[in-house]
Amino acid sequence: MGNGCCFGEAGGRMAVGSSMTGQHNHPSDGPNDAVSLFLKSRGYHGLFSQIELSLSASSLRDRDVLSKSDPMAVIYMKGRNGRLEELGRTEVVSNSLNPTWIEKVNVTYHFELLQTLTFRVYDVDTQFHHVDVQMLKLDEQQFLGEASCTLSEIVTRSNRLLTLDLAQHEDSMKAAHPKSYGKLTIHAEESINSKITTEMILRCSELENKDLFSKSDPFLVISKIVESGISIPICKTEVIKDDLDPTWKSVFLNIQQVGSKDSPLTIECFNFNSNGKHDLIGKIDKSLVDLEKIYLSQTGANLYLPAAAGHDYHNKVLKSQLFVDKFSESVQYTFLDYLAGGCELNFMVAIDFTASNGNPRLPDSLHYIDPSGRPNAYQKAIQEIGGLLQFYDSDKRFPAWGFGARPIDGPVSHCFNLNGSSNYCEVEGIQGIMTAYISALFNVSLAGPTLFGRVVTVAADIASQALVEGQQKYYVLLIITDGVITDLQETKDAIVKASDLPLSILIVGVGGADFKEMEFLDGDKGERLESTSGRVASRDIVQFVPFRDVQGEEVSMAQTLLAELPSQFLSYMRTRGIEPKSMIL
C-alpha cells in the first residue's frame, strides 16, 4: 500500500475511509474515497459493465442465384489509433434475408470512453459453410452492407434496441442519404454479474501491535489476483483506531469486479500511518467461496506474513485470525438500468472569460481562435467532454454560460448566457456551444475576478427545479477555467448545498496557473468540503483535472474527468431510494 495515501493524518485517515468521511450504511453509497484514490493511483479508472450484443437483420440484399444469401455479421470497435479491431463474429444463417443470429458478441462498456462500433454483414459462399467462422477470410465473401454507431447510443435506449440502415462502404462515408441495403437491429443486455453484489462484515482477532505508544489502527485492503499474478485492489475498509480486535463496517464486492466466486482474492490488514507508509500486519488468500465457508463454519482463518524476498523461508503463520460475521448476496440496479429506465444526463457548460486568458485576438491567448481550425484548450474540452455526454441527453439542448466578463454596455457578470440572450441559456448541440463561445469572444470584454459561486448556484437551481417536478434527470456541469478562484468559500458553500442535488461538477484547468485550490474542491483525497455554517458535503460531486496533465497521455481528459461520474450518479440515486423507471429486479 505504501505511498497510496500521503496527505497528513486527518486527510489520510479519511482517505482510507474512516468514520470522519460520514456514515456508509448501504452499498449504494458508492466506493469509499480511498478505493477510488488507490485504484486511480495504479491506472484503473471508471465504470465498466459486460454487455452482450445480439444481432438481427431484415431486407438484406440477395446475392445468390438459386437461393437466398447466407449472412454472417462481424462486429468491430474503433481503437485509439482509429483502426477497427474485430470483437467477434456471428454464425452463418443459411438461405435468409431476415436472419436472427444466435451467436452473441461480448463487449465491455466504459462510460468514460466514446466506443464506436461498426457492423459488417457478409454473404458466406456455400463452399465455406464447413469452415469455422473465425477462420473465414472476409475478402473471399460477398459484402452485403455495414453500419456504425456508438455503444452509448444502444445502452441509452429504453429497450436497448437500436436499428440502423446498412450501406455500402462508399455510401456510408457520404453526407447525403445513402442507399439502403437492409436494416440491422442490435440488442444489448447487461451481464447479471454486473448486478450481483456480495456484502460482508469482516473482523480480525489478536492483531499484532505495530504502534509504540498506542494500539494499531487497522484497515483492510481486498485485491484480486489477475492471470499475470498482479494484485489489483478492488475494495477497502475504514480505519479503526486503537483496536487489535476490530470489526469493520460492511464491504461490498461486485461479482464482476472479482471475476467469479472462485477467483483468488488477497485480503491485507494494514496499520494506518499518517505518512502513508502503512505497516502490513498480516494477509490471507481466499476466494469468495472460501470466505462464505468461513462465515458458515463460524470459525476464523489465520493470517500470515509473506517470506522475505530472496529467501526460501516459508510464510510466517500468525495467531491473528480473520472472521466473516456476515456474508450475503443481492442483485442491485446498475447505472445502465437507470439509463434504460429513461434517466438522462443533462450536460451544462460554463466558460472562463477573465482577462488573465489574454487578448483573444493574439496567438498567445488561451481564447485564440486559430484560422487553421486547430481548436484551443477551451474548444478541446467542450468537444471531448460534451461530445461524449451528448449521447445521454435526448434533446441535446445544453445550458451554456460565461463568467468573468463585461457584456456590451453592462457591468462585469459572473454568469451570463453564452448565446447573448437575456431570456434563455440553452443552445442546440455541441456545435451550438462552439458557435456561441466564438460569438461571445467578440461581444464581451474580458474582465475578472474568477468567481465560481454564481455559476454553481444557477446550475444547482436547474437541478433543483427538475427534482421538484419529479423528473428523473442528472445534471453534469463542466467548468473550464484558466485561473485561481477568488471566491473559494462562496464556491464551497454552493457545492456543499448542491451535493444534495442530482448534480456533478467537472472542472478543467487550462493554462499554466497553480490549481491547488481547484484540487481542494475535488474530494479525491477524502476531505469532504465544509460550508461556512459547518455543514459537510453529503457526497463528493467535483472532479478536477489540469488540461496540461492529460495532453499526450494514455488516459484522456474524458477518462480522467468522467471516471467517477457513474459512482456519483449511483450514490445519489441509491441513497435516496430512487429506482429506475419501469424496472423490476
Side-chain angles (χ1 to χ4, degrees):
M1 173 75 192
N3 58 4
C5 312
C6 304
F7 21 74
E9 183 167 4
R13 207 176 283 282
M14 286 193 286
V16 288
S18 80
S19 58
M20 295 172 68
T21 63
Q23 300 297 316
H24 292 278
N25 299 318
H26 193 279
S28 57
D29 288 353
N32 84 37
D33 296 331
V35 179
S36 299
L37 178 70
F38 201 47
L39 289 175
K40 287 201 294 184
S41 70
R42 282 152 179 75
Y44 299 96
H45 296 259
L47 169 142
F48 63 93
S49 293
Q50 294 301 324
I51 302 293
E52 198 172 61
L53 298 180
S54 304
L55 305 178
S56 62
S58 60
S59 304
L60 294 178
R61 296 188 69 197
D62 192 358
R63 289 296 188 92
D64 293 347
V65 178
L66 301 178
S67 63
K68 296 184 175 69
S69 294
D70 305 318
M72 174 189 74
V74 184
I75 297 92
Y76 303 86
M77 181 176 289
K78 185 180 291 185
R80 286 179 63 91
N81 58 6
R83 296 178 182 175
L84 294 181
E85 301 170 0
E86 185 175 321
L87 297 179
R89 302 180 180 187
T90 68
E91 78 279 12
V92 176
V93 176
S94 299
N95 197 32
S96 177
L97 302 182
N98 302 285
T100 296
W101 290 283
I102 297 174
E103 188 68 28
K104 297 172 175 56
V105 175
N106 291 313
V107 58
T108 302
Y109 163 75
H110 295 270
F111 168 75
E112 70 277 11
L113 296 178
L114 184 62
Q115 297 173 280
T116 301
L117 300 173
T118 293
F119 305 86
R120 291 177 178 168
V121 181
Y122 294 88
D123 176 19
V124 178
D125 196 280
T126 306
Q127 63 176 309
F128 298 110
H129 283 194
H130 68 285
V131 179
D132 185 329
V133 293
Q134 302 300 327
M135 304 301 294
L136 290 175
K137 295 181 179 179
L138 298 179
D139 57 2
E140 295 179 348
Q141 315 308 320
Q142 288 187 304
F143 178 75
L144 296 180
E146 76 170 25
S148 295
C149 67
T150 63
L151 184 54
S152 54
E153 286 180 273
I154 305 172
V155 299
T156 53
R157 295 297 180 101
S158 60
N159 52 8
R160 291 184 185 152
L161 277 173
L162 180 65
T163 299
L164 303 170
D165 287 323
L166 290 168
Q168 288 285 25
H169 290 303
E170 61 271 18
D171 289 343
S172 62
M173 297 295 105
K174 296 179 181 179
H177 297 293
K179 180 180 178 181
S180 178
Y181 291 81
K183 293 183 180 294
L184 180 74
T185 298
I186 310 108
H187 177 251
E189 185 173 358
E190 188 175 11
S191 166
I192 188 63
N193 280 344
S194 300
K195 303 170 182 282
I196 298 177
T197 297
T198 300
E199 177 184 359
M200 294 184 293
I201 294 179
L202 302 176
R203 169 171 60 90
C204 279
S205 67
E206 299 185 75
L207 293 177
E208 182 181 349
N209 191 15
K210 295 288 185 178
D211 289 343
L212 186 60
F213 300 108
S214 62
K215 296 178 182 178
S216 295
D217 305 328
F219 67 96
L220 300 178
V221 176
I222 302 176
S223 304
K224 70 176 179 180
I225 310 300
V226 295
E227 291 181 4
S228 62
I230 296 174
S231 177
I232 300 176
I234 55 175
C235 188
K236 185 180 297 207
T237 69
E238 76 278 11
V239 173
I240 296 182
K241 188 175 176 60
D242 294 330
D243 197 336
L244 302 182
D245 299 284
T247 300
W248 291 275
K249 296 176 184 176
S250 292
V251 295
F252 300 88
L253 294 180
N254 183 283
I255 294 296
Q256 182 175 277
Q257 291 175 303
V258 174
S260 74
K261 288 189 69 172
D262 292 309
S263 299
L265 298 174
T266 294
I267 303 176
E268 297 169 291
C269 184
F270 289 95
N271 174 44
F272 175 86
N273 285 315
S274 59
N275 62 5
K277 297 180 179 180
H278 310 305
D279 308 307
L280 178 64
I281 299 176
K283 62 188 295 187
I284 191 170
D285 303 314
K286 298 290 181 184
S287 66
L288 284 178
V289 169
D290 297 328
L291 293 170
E292 187 174 23
K293 289 178 180 177
I294 293 174
Y295 165 70
L296 293 173
S297 67
Q298 296 186 333
T299 58
N302 292 88
L303 304 182
Y304 72 89
L305 284 174
H311 295 78
D312 293 329
Y313 304 128
H314 294 296
N315 294 333
K316 179 183 177 181
V317 178
L318 305 173
K319 65 177 180 180
S320 308
Q321 289 192 316
L322 175 77
F323 295 84
V324 182
D325 289 345
K326 180 178 181 178
F327 188 100
S328 64
E329 294 179 340
S330 62
V331 177
Q332 292 193 12
Y333 295 120
T334 66
F335 179 68
L336 293 181
D337 285 334
Y338 285 92
L339 296 183
C343 187
E344 295 191 359
L345 302 182
N346 294 116
F347 179 55
M348 304 183 283
V349 65
I351 298 173
D352 185 337
F353 284 86
T354 54
S356 53
N357 282 279
N359 187 339
R361 292 168 177 77
L362 301 179
D364 61 352
S365 170
L366 293 170
H367 281 309
Y368 181 65
I369 304 301
D370 194 323
S372 70
R374 180 182 179 183
N376 62 35
Y378 284 90
Q379 292 171 309
K380 286 181 180 178
I382 294 168
Q383 289 171 338
E384 189 168 336
I385 305 303
L388 195 150
L389 290 177
Q390 65 176 328
F391 294 106
Y392 300 87
D393 190 330
S394 62
D395 68 5
K396 293 179 174 52
R397 294 181 60 85
F398 308 126
W401 304 288
F403 60 92
R406 181 180 290 106
I408 296 175
D409 300 326
V412 174
S413 173
H414 301 293
C415 185
F416 58 89
N417 295 332
L418 203 63
N419 58 17
S421 170
S422 58
N423 300 318
Y424 61 94
C425 61
E426 291 184 332
V427 297
E428 295 279 355
I430 301 304
Q431 187 54 49
I433 298 176
M434 303 294 278
T435 300
Y437 163 61
I438 294 173
S439 176
L441 285 174
F442 297 96
N443 288 287
V444 302
S445 299
L446 275 57
T450 305
L451 306 180
F452 280 9
R454 179 59 182 159
V455 163
V456 173
T457 298
V458 171
D461 287 344
I462 293 176
S464 179
Q465 183 60 35
L467 191 61
V468 170
E469 295 173 358
Q471 300 176 16
Q472 199 167 98
K473 292 184 176 182
Y474 194 89
Y475 292 83
V476 183
L477 170 63
L478 172 65
I479 301 176
I480 316 171
T481 182
D482 84 311
V484 179
I485 59 175
T486 53
D487 65 337
L488 181 59
Q489 189 56 56
E490 290 83 354
T491 299
K492 287 195 290 185
D493 289 347
I495 292 174
V496 169
K497 185 176 180 181
S499 67
D500 290 329
L501 297 171
L503 174 68
S504 286
I505 301 171
L506 313 175
I507 304 175
V508 175
V510 298
D514 183 348
F515 293 117
K516 285 183 179 178
E517 289 182 344
M518 301 296 181
E519 293 171 354
F520 181 76
L521 295 177
D522 188 333
D524 280 349
K525 293 183 178 181
E527 301 173 13
R528 296 288 177 90
L529 295 181
E530 186 174 326
S531 70
T532 306
S533 64
R535 182 185 172 199
V536 177
S538 60
R539 60 194 182 95
D540 172 25
I541 65 170
V542 178
Q543 183 68 18
F544 167 74
V545 62
F547 185 84
R548 58 179 180 252
D549 288 359
V550 291
Q551 291 306 289
E553 296 293 328
E554 289 275 333
V555 179
S556 70
M557 183 196 325
Q559 284 177 272
T560 304
L561 273 178
L562 298 176
E564 292 183 8
L565 188 56
S567 293
Q568 291 177 0
F569 172 94
L570 287 173
S571 171
Y572 176 82
M573 293 295 179
R574 290 174 173 173
T575 53
R576 285 153 183 79
I578 302 173
E579 296 185 355
K581 294 181 179 179
S582 304
M583 293 293 295
I584 300 176
L585 283 177

